[in-house]
Amino acid sequence: MANQGNDIRITLIGAGTIGLSFATFHLSHLSSPSQLTILDTRPDLEEYVRSTLPRFLPDAPISHINLSSSLPDAVRNASIIQESGPENLSFKKSVWGEVEKYAPKDALLWSSTSGIPASQQAADMEDKTRLLVVHPYNPPHIMPLLELVPSSQTSAGVLTRTQEFWRARGRVPILLKKEMTGFVANRLAFALLRESIHLVNEGVVSVEELDRIVETSMGPRWTIAGPFKSYHAGGGVGGLEGFFRNIGGTVQECWDDAGKLNVGEGWEESIFQQAKDQYGVVDLEERDRITKRVLDVVKEEKNRE
Amino acid sequence: MANQGNDIRITLIGAGTIGLSFATFHLSHLSSPSQLTILDTRPDLEEYVRSTLPRFLPDAPISHINLSSSLPDAVRNASIIQESGPENLSFKKSVWGEVEKYAPKDALLWSSTSGIPASQQAADMEDKTRLLVVHPYNPPHIMPLLELVPSSQTSAGVLTRTQEFWRARGRVPILLKKEMTGFVANRLAFALLRESIHLVNEGVVSVEELDRIVETSMGPRWTIAGPFKSYHAGGGVGGLEGFFRNIGGTVQECWDDAGKLNVGEGWEESIFQQAKDQYGVVDLEERDRITKRVLDVVKEEKNRE
């Protein structure tokens, strides 16, 4: 299949948190760490990667990864170029302009952006067919989801090769058929966050109580079956239709008086403070370790069928 | 501690899905199945429990559970009376009126309702201090969450005894400080569902793709850390405040054009059909088995700390 085997060469542009998390993922799937190049213009790149990458991957074979500060060198032999740089349109446009000059003609070009459309990023490119957004759910070395958001010019072949790459590595690439601000995952999470802010602001529960409610109900439920599947099951033999027949009235009532607070409307101070008092600095290692075990359990169980 | 030991006697009113799921939970925590009574007026109660309870609990000791169709008999010695009957105010008012006549004065009275306030249910009772809503997340023999929703008359002592009962059994009772339609968990889930309907209706993703997005991102994330904790972590050293400083603009943009479809506005047909075609009849046994393993893993990992 495409993109597999010893000839694949991946170049990551940007050695921030997302870039190094992707590096971790790719290192677990490449035959040799020499197939990976990390491009970043920070002067202390090697020292920085040496001190930071082991947080994601304790035994990272750092001396075998190519570290580069020269874009032409870094992309010249790449089959995949994955950009996780600053969220800044002019940066991205200039990167892709350079990449186009030096990279092989059939290299796949992926941006991790959470908000700058591929069409805008590719505006100055001659060949706009190879670029698309491959938006991870952080951190990508743990979370299976990739939202694929092409421009209208991205070619079908590029989409297929991209999907195959991720599927072959046990990931879940979902192709969005339309571009929306925030894509899908963030839009959904932000909708729930808005209602969360409303309920805490109304004094129904605290920040910590709201989190515990989600952790002990929807979190685990939606890990096994997303919202539609869950409510389809909840409707019994009538399915999702039966669910709405039974309690559509209550659903509508909740929608009617749902939270409509906006950013900057005065709810912030108390909620930010509660989060700070309650959580301090979150232990990401613990979070990621447990998340990985949960995902492994689900995979194992679903593969039993 | 209160409510523990051999002298506790639980009477369940209503042998529907929620009632039998609670029966399953209680049977795993009582010293003897003879401490459990199930009250239901259906004429085939024994046959029905014999055929249905094993779906939740394969080796259910059915012959040792008290099955009753007489409310006075069923509640006479109960220390806890938990109602999971029809969602119908007059039914509930009449049940509590009868319970009050025959039950011990210090029995705890819990309703599993998802929508009828304790204050309304207790309207005709002489002693309104003992009744509160204990709303499970279905199915309660698997899911840890219980939303406790008292009326203004529920006594502090009753709340404490109720919280202690569930905590001692590894459950997560969360006391809501205000009553809202749908309580907290359903309100949050319905907010995300509304945006889900919007995105499918806009043709961005299918029902099945949306579910897979949630299953591979927010589901596992929120199983470990609820939305506030997650975004507090996402803001780095700046916490939740830093998160909003960084991407509050995008959050607000997503809120500004969030889905506002209502029940009955024409999106139903295609979405119901997709759910039916995709999922048919959902395998609840599989769902519950995987959910239980996920919850066990999280518990084990969190207890390591």
Side-chain angles (χ1 to χ4, degrees), chain A residues 57-68:
Chain A
L57 190 64
D59 297 319
I62 294 164
S63 52
H64 295 90
I65 302 169
N66 309 296
L67 300 177
S68 172

Side-chain angles (χ1 to χ4, degrees), chain A residues 11 21 89 92 103 123 136 158 168 183 193 200 218 233 245 248 278 287 289 301-302:
Chain A
T11 295
S21 173
L89 177 57
K92 297 197 195 273
V158 162
F183 308 139
L193 178 65
V200 172
M218 281 153 277
R245 203 185 306 124
Q278 183 65 40
R287 182 194 72 178
R289 187 188 72 234
E301 288 283 346
K302 292 207 169 176

Side-chain angles (χ1 to χ4, degrees), chain B residues 140-161:
Chain B
H141 70 291
I142 303 280
M143 304 302 290
L145 175 66
L146 287 311
E147 292 177 283
L148 310 190
V149 199
S151 76
S152 62
Q153 311 230 25
T154 312
S155 78
V158 162
L159 286 179
T160 306
R161 286 168 61 203

Side-chain angles (χ1 to χ4, degrees), chain A residues 203-275:
Chain A
V204 181
V205 283
S206 69
V207 159
E208 187 265 346
E209 288 165 338
L210 188 131
D211 278 345
R212 266 198 297 154
I213 286 175
V214 176
E215 291 161 15
T216 54
S217 58
M218 281 153 277
R221 167 59 39 82
W222 288 343
T223 299
I224 322 300
F228 287 118
K229 188 173 183 181
S230 292
Y231 288 127
H232 184 68
V237 289
L240 193 57
E241 184 168 6
F243 170 79
F244 270 94
R245 203 185 306 124
N246 294 341
I247 69 149
T250 306
V251 173
Q252 185 63 49
E253 268 184 70
C254 292
W255 288 352
D256 285 340
D257 70 348
K260 288 179 185 63
L261 285 165
N262 295 299
V263 172
E265 287 186 348
W267 51 268
E268 280 94 344
E269 197 180 336
S270 150
I271 288 181
F272 293 168
Q273 192 61 48
Q274 278 190 54

Side-chain angles (χ1 to χ4, degrees), chain B residues 1-15:
Chain B
M1 70 146 286
N3 288 325
Q4 230 172 2
N6 295 332
D7 55 341
I8 191 172
R9 299 187 63 85
I10 301 176
T11 295
L12 300 174
I13 302 182

Side-chain angles (χ1 to χ4, degrees), chain A residues 2-236:
Chain A
N3 287 326
Q4 229 170 3
N6 294 332
D7 55 340
I8 190 171
R9 299 187 62 85
I10 301 176
T11 295
L12 301 173
I13 301 182
T17 309
I18 299 286
L20 292 187
S21 173
F22 270 127
T24 301
F25 178 79
H26 294 313
L27 285 168
S28 322
H29 292 83
L30 291 166
S31 315
S32 156
S34 65
Q35 294 167 270
L36 184 71
T37 298
I38 299 177
L39 168 69
D40 198 296
T41 52
R42 59 187 305 157
D44 62 340
L45 181 60
E46 186 175 342
E47 197 185 304
Y48 166 78
V49 170
R50 260 185 207 292
S51 66
T52 314
L53 191 55
R55 278 188 225 155
F56 297 92
L57 190 64
D59 297 319
I62 294 164
S63 52
H64 295 90
I65 302 169
N66 309 296
L67 300 177
S68 172
S69 59
S70 155
L71 187 141
D73 290 351
V75 307
R76 207 180 304 278
N77 298 309
S79 37
I80 290 170
I81 295 157
Q82 189 168 18
E83 178 275 326
S84 310
E87 287 289 66
N88 173 317
L89 177 57
S90 62
F91 165 80
K92 297 197 195 273
K93 279 169 75 169
S94 103
V95 158
W96 295 126
E98 290 293 291
V99 166
E100 195 170 37
K101 275 193 232 161
Y102 300 103
K105 290 292 167 224
D106 62 347
L108 294 168
L109 311 183
W110 298 338
S111 169
S112 306
T113 183
S114 59
I116 306 177
S119 54
Q120 289 180 29
Q121 297 192 34
D124 297 342
M125 291 177 78
E126 262 177 50
D127 176 4
K128 303 177 182 9
T129 63
R130 287 183 291 155
L131 180 67
L132 73 150
V133 170
V134 176
H135 178 236
Y137 198 85
N138 197 28
H141 70 291
I142 303 281
M143 304 303 289
L145 176 67
L146 287 311
E147 293 177 282
L148 310 190
V149 200
S151 76
S152 62
Q153 313 229 23
T154 312
S155 78
V158 162
L159 286 179
T160 305
R161 285 167 61 203
T162 302
Q163 287 173 309
E164 279 173 359
F165 175 92
W166 292 106
R167 283 195 193 125
R169 287 155 182 80
R171 285 329 208 206
V172 179
I174 304 281
L175 175 61
L176 310 198
K177 288 179 270 312
K178 210 185 255 187
E179 193 167 71
M180 309 273 277
T181 306
F183 308 139
V184 170
N186 280 342
R187 288 186 74 90
L188 296 175
F190 294 165
L192 186 138
L193 178 65
R194 191 181 209 178
E195 185 64 17
S196 303
I197 289 168
H198 172 56
L199 292 169
V200 172
N201 197 56
E202 287 289 312
V204 181
V205 283
S206 69
V207 159
E208 187 265 346
E209 288 165 338
L210 188 131
D211 278 345
R212 266 198 297 154
I213 286 175
V214 176
E215 291 161 15
T216 54
S217 58
M218 281 153 277
R221 167 59 39 82
W222 288 343
T223 299
I224 322 300
F228 287 118
K229 188 173 183 181
S230 292
Y231 288 127
H232 184 68

Side-chain angles (χ1 to χ4, degrees), chain B:
Chain B
M1 70 146 286
N3 288 325
Q4 230 172 2
N6 295 332
D7 55 341
I8 191 172
R9 299 187 63 85
I10 301 176
T11 295
L12 300 174
I13 302 182
T17 309
I18 299 287
L20 292 187
S21 173
F22 271 127
T24 301
F25 177 79
H26 294 312
L27 285 169
S28 324
H29 293 82
L30 290 167
S31 314
S32 155
S34 65
Q35 294 168 270
L36 184 70
T37 297
I38 300 177
L39 169 68
D40 198 296
T41 52
R42 57 187 306 157
D44 61 341
L45 181 60
E46 187 175 343
E47 197 184 306
Y48 166 78
V49 171
R50 260 186 206 290
S51 67
T52 314
L53 191 54
R55 278 188 225 156
F56 297 93
L57 192 64
D59 298 320
I62 294 164
S63 51
H64 295 89
I65 301 168
N66 309 297
L67 301 178
S68 172
S69 59
S70 156
L71 188 140
D73 290 351
V75 306
R76 207 180 303 278
N77 297 309
S79 36
I80 291 170
I81 296 157
Q82 189 169 17
E83 178 275 326
S84 309
E87 287 289 66
N88 172 319
L89 177 57
S90 62
F91 166 80
K92 296 194 195 275
K93 279 169 75 170
S94 104
V95 158
W96 296 125
E98 289 294 292
V99 165
E100 195 171 38
K101 275 193 232 160
Y102 299 104
K105 291 292 167 223
D106 62 346
L108 294 168
L109 311 184
W110 299 339
S111 169
S112 305
T113 183
S114 60
I116 306 177
S119 53
Q120 289 180 27
Q121 295 192 34
D124 297 342
M125 292 176 76
E126 262 176 50
D127 177 4
K128 303 176 181 8
T129 63
R130 288 183 293 155
L131 181 66
L132 72 150
V133 170
V134 176
H135 178 237
Y137 198 84
N138 196 29
H141 70 291
I142 303 280
M143 304 302 290
L145 175 66
L146 287 311
E147 292 177 283
L148 310 190
V149 199
S151 76
S152 62
Q153 311 230 25
T154 312
S155 78
V158 162
L159 286 179
T160 306
R161 286 168 61 203
T162 302
Q163 288 173 308
E164 279 174 359
F165 175 91
W166 291 106
R167 283 194 195 126
R169 286 155 183 80
R171 285 328 207 207
V172 179
I174 305 282
L175 177 61
L176 309 199
K177 288 180 268 313
K178 209 186 256 188
E179 193 167 73
M180 308 272 277
T181 307
F183 308 140
V184 171
N186 280 342
R187 288 186 73 91
L188 296 175
F190 294 164
L192 185 138
L193 178 65
R194 192 181 208 179
E195 186 64 17
S196 303
I197 290 168
H198 172 57
L199 292 170
V200 173
N201 197 56
E202 287 289 312
V204 181
V205 283
S206 69
V207 158
E208 187 267 343
E209 287 166 339
L210 188 131
D211 279 345
R212 267 200 296 155
I213 286 175
V214 175
E215 291 161 16
T216 54
S217 59
M218 281 152 275
R221 167 58 39 80
W222 289 344
T223 298
I224 322 301
F228 287 118
K229 188 172 183 182
S230 292
Y231 288 125
H232 184 70
V237 290
L240 193 58
E241 184 168 7
F243 169 80
F244 271 93
R245 202 185 308 122
N246 294 341
I247 69 149
T250 306
V251 174
Q252 184 63 48
E253 268 184 70
C254 293
W255 289 352
D256 285 340
D257 69 349
K260 288 181 185 63
L261 285 165
N262 295 300
V263 172
E265 286 185 349
W267 50 269
E268 281 94 342
E269 198 180 338
S270 149
I271 288 181
F272 293 168
Q273 191 62 47
Q274 277 190 56
K276 216 160 125 182
D277 293 346
Q278 183 65 40
Y279 299 124
V281 177
V282 176
D283 182 346
L284 295 181
E285 245 171 77
E286 181 201 49
R287 182 195 72 179
D288 291 345
R289 186 188 72 235
I290 307 180
T291 306
K292 196 172 173 318
R293 279 202 64 195
V294 164
L295 291 166
D296 286 348
V297 158
V298 174
K299 199 183 220 174
E300 183 191 314
E301 287 283 346
K302 291 208 168 174
N303 286 344
R304 273 167 58 159
E305 306 308 296

